[in-house]
Amino acid sequence: MKRLIMAVASMATLTSIAYAGGNHGGDHGEAEMMAIGKPGDAAAAGRTVAISMKENDDGEMVFEPASLKIEEGETIRLTFVNEGELEHEFVMDVHESILEHKALMEKFPEMEHADPNAVRLGAGAKGEIVWTFAKAGEFEFACLIPGHYESGMKGDINVTN
């Protein structure tokens, strides 16, 4: 019983830290902009980028395309199809935040979150993110389900001004 209480307390502490950082399910309204930008207005989306998630026959897990080029201030509709047999997710952020999120997912692989900069899809499922890339810079996207990042499921976002 003591171990259960300690485990629940540890999870509550880590969850509260994640919420305070704005990375797991908090309200990312107009007042809060992430380094990579903010949720966009679908009506303002200037273009759509289709991204597939899948596993290859050689064991690699990939996003296609594996890199995105976007103009600063551009609002993009990102559409996703999980063409693989496994569940996958797409999370976009600065590299450091991706690595922090990855470490947390390794400790709590069944963690569910409702971040506006992420989507998690089962095999065959489709999803969408509409995002305004408000700042120029180098960003990253990745699947942070344990083992997927290491299997190649990551990519780069280059936002230019």
Side-chain angles (χ1 to χ4, degrees), residues 30-54:
E30 290 297 320
E32 185 175 348
M33 182 168 16
M34 300 173 67
I36 194 167
K38 62 182 179 177
D41 176 12
R47 65 183 168 120
T48 298
V49 176
I51 299 172
S52 67
M53 312 162 149
K54 59 187 172 183

Side-chain angles (χ1 to χ4, degrees), residues 144-159:
L144 302 177
I145 295 172
H148 293 210
Y149 185 92
E150 293 80 7
S151 295
M153 205 158 198
K154 55 189 169 186
D156 297 312
I157 301 173
N158 181 10
V159 180

Side-chain angles (χ1 to χ4, degrees), residues 33-80:
M33 182 168 16
M34 300 173 67
I36 194 167
K38 62 182 179 177
D41 176 12
R47 65 183 168 120
T48 298
V49 176
I51 299 172
S52 67
M53 312 162 149
K54 59 187 172 183
E55 310 90 43
N56 288 338
D57 291 337
D58 60 5
E60 280 188 322
M61 297 182 188
V62 297
F63 290 107
E64 290 180 356
S67 65
L68 303 173
K69 294 193 186 308
I70 298 167
E71 293 290 322
E72 181 178 17
E74 190 174 8
T75 299
I76 304 286
R77 178 185 313 275
L78 301 167
T79 61
F80 302 91

Side-chain angles (χ1 to χ4, degrees), residues 4 8 13 15 22 25 41 44 62-64 72 75 85-86 91-92 98 106 108 112 119 130 132 148 157:
L4 177 62
V8 170
T13 300
T15 302
D41 176 12
V62 297
F63 290 107
E64 290 180 356
E72 181 178 17
T75 299
E85 296 178 15
L86 302 173
V91 179
M92 60 182 174
I98 291 285
E106 288 168 353
F108 304 103
E112 292 191 24
V119 63
V130 177
T132 298
H148 293 210
I157 301 173

